[in-house]
Amino acid sequence: MNKIIISKLINNDENKIEWRISNSETGHYLNISISRALEDAMKKKRNLSFNRFESEQINNLSHLVTNIQEDYVLNIDESNISSSYLPLKGIDALSYMKTVE
């Protein structure tokens, strides 16, 4: 059985928030980097809860980690989130994921 671990990463870059979803069985992970500018835009334009967006986004992506065979990074910003500020679905996120080198 795959055990999925979700952790918030500490970084020195004030322009992004980082999360890691990892598979304890395979050791592979997906790092998610969310732009602070996206957070600011959400609060200004729609008065939306960024914490809820963040939580829903992580939940949408967590199932992808059970099948990945490499380590990936996904950058989330206004370029890949629609103006409705809905979290990416797992299938949609695949095209934005890049392997970690």
Side-chain angles (χ1 to χ4, degrees):
M1 181 173 124
N2 290 332
K3 183 175 178 185
I4 303 301
I5 300 168
I6 299 171
S7 52
K8 191 168 190 175
L9 302 177
I10 298 172
N11 65 39
N12 295 326
D13 188 347
E14 295 178 4
N15 296 319
K16 60 184 175 179
I17 302 163
E18 292 187 315
W19 290 88
R20 175 174 284 180
I21 306 172
S22 56
N23 182 328
S24 64
E25 186 176 291
T26 65
H28 293 298
Y29 61 85
L30 169 61
N31 279 356
I32 304 163
S33 177
I34 303 174
S35 166
R36 289 264 187 205
L38 177 63
E39 177 182 13
D40 294 341
M42 286 178 72
K43 288 178 179 177
K44 288 177 186 172
K45 292 181 183 176
R46 299 285 308 269
N47 194 25
L48 297 171
S49 167
F50 183 74
N51 291 337
R52 181 175 176 185
F53 170 83
E54 209 174 19
S55 175
E56 288 178 4
Q57 185 62 81
I58 291 167
N59 285 334
N60 285 355
L61 299 172
S62 61
H63 75 278
L64 294 176
V65 177
T66 59
N67 297 320
I68 60 174
Q69 301 302 314
E70 295 182 74
D71 300 330
Y72 289 90
V73 64
L74 171 63
N75 294 310
I76 298 175
D77 56 27
E78 290 187 77
S79 69
N80 53 13
I81 297 292
S82 70
S83 60
S84 62
Y85 296 109
L86 295 174
L88 285 173
K89 293 183 179 167
I91 193 81
D92 298 332
L94 290 173
S95 63
Y96 298 109
M97 291 170 50
K98 297 185 173 139
T99 56
V100 174
E101 298 187 27

